[in-house]
Amino acid sequence: MGVYNDVILPKLCDLAMRNERLRPYRERVIGAAEGRVLEIGSGSGLNLPFYGARVREILALEPSPNLLALARSAPQSAMPVRFIEASAEAIPLDDGSVDTVVTTWTLCTIPGAAAALSEMRRVLKPGGKLLFVEHGRSPDRGVRWFQDGLTPVWRRISGGCHLNRPIRSMIEDGGFRIDRVETGYMPGPKPMTFMYEGSAHPA
């Protein structure tokens, strides 16, 4: 699995995340970021061109060195970008040091998602915000059955991605209060495409 995880999987992730159907989500979520921004699981840097003029600095956190290498070679945004090779469960930043935390299709893969959300809350300023778009657990019983059945195999071949994580309750249990959340299926296989998009702030 070493060659697959280290070489093939990063390229597959980059290819999958280039799906044009994801672009409107990126435009809305990334476009709302401001100030000093921490992006969790920045991957190959596909979000970087979407940051706007209200952003002062981007801290792009990613545990995979191969994905970070792809990000460093990607088209950059106009503002400063600092790449950080680290885990979301142990963010190497001071308490209350960022204005916005961004997660895009990331909470599904983090092994210790509860610890990661606690860390996101820790590094956010008291008036800061969490912006997110994630795929996760469907409200439809039949789709959930497929999600639960597929997840054990799916996460082995997709870098740890869980199809069935209850994103809203995870964020709330992580110490956040939801300000806005919109849910629904995007085009594609339903077990993989139930989306949660919104914002939250430290409770």
Side-chain angles (χ1 to χ4, degrees):
M1 291 293 285
V3 173
Y4 178 78
N5 284 331
D6 295 341
V7 179
I8 298 172
L9 185 59
K11 293 179 180 178
L12 289 177
C13 289
D14 175 63
L15 182 63
M17 296 310 294
R18 289 180 183 276
N19 185 342
E20 275 299 304
R21 289 172 175 168
L22 304 180
R23 184 183 182 93
Y25 295 98
R26 294 187 199 277
E27 290 175 341
R28 290 190 297 266
V29 173
I30 306 302
E34 56 189 353
R36 192 176 193 227
V37 177
L38 170 64
E39 183 177 327
I40 301 294
S42 58
S44 58
L46 296 178
N47 286 338
L48 295 178
F50 292 90
Y51 286 99
R54 292 182 298 169
V55 173
R56 185 174 73 253
E57 180 186 13
I58 303 166
L59 307 171
L61 184 142
E62 170 58 49
S64 166
N66 290 322
L67 282 172
L68 274 181
L70 290 173
R72 288 189 174 100
S73 64
Q76 299 298 306
S77 62
M79 61 284 302
V81 181
R82 175 182 159 199
F83 295 101
I84 304 172
E85 185 180 335
S87 161
E89 294 98 330
I91 299 172
L93 296 175
D94 293 335
D95 295 1
S97 59
V98 299
D99 301 290
T100 307
V101 172
V102 169
T103 76
T104 60
W105 304 287
T106 301
L107 288 175
C108 62
T109 62
I110 299 173
L117 283 160
S118 178
E119 280 287 271
M120 294 178 215
R121 184 173 179 268
R122 177 185 67 78
V123 301
L124 267 175
K125 294 178 180 178
K129 59 185 176 182
L130 169 66
L131 302 174
F132 60 90
V133 57
E134 301 284 345
H135 74 97
R137 192 161 186 82
S138 167
D140 301 317
R141 181 185 298 179
V143 177
R144 289 200 306 270
W145 184 87
F146 278 105
Q147 288 178 322
D148 292 340
L150 289 170
T151 289
V153 174
W154 181 254
R155 66 192 181 104
R156 290 184 182 181
I157 63 173
S158 61
C161 175
H162 295 70
L163 301 172
N164 57 355
R165 284 186 167 172
I167 299 299
R168 177 170 187 156
S169 62
M170 285 172 57
I171 291 172
E172 291 173 332
D173 291 345
F176 289 90
R177 181 170 297 139
I178 299 285
D179 297 313
R180 178 186 68 85
V181 63
E182 296 179 15
T183 60
Y185 295 101
M186 80 171 221
K190 284 192 172 183
M192 289 86 168
T193 58
F194 189 78
M195 298 292 170
Y196 295 76
E197 177 190 341
S199 63
H201 66 274

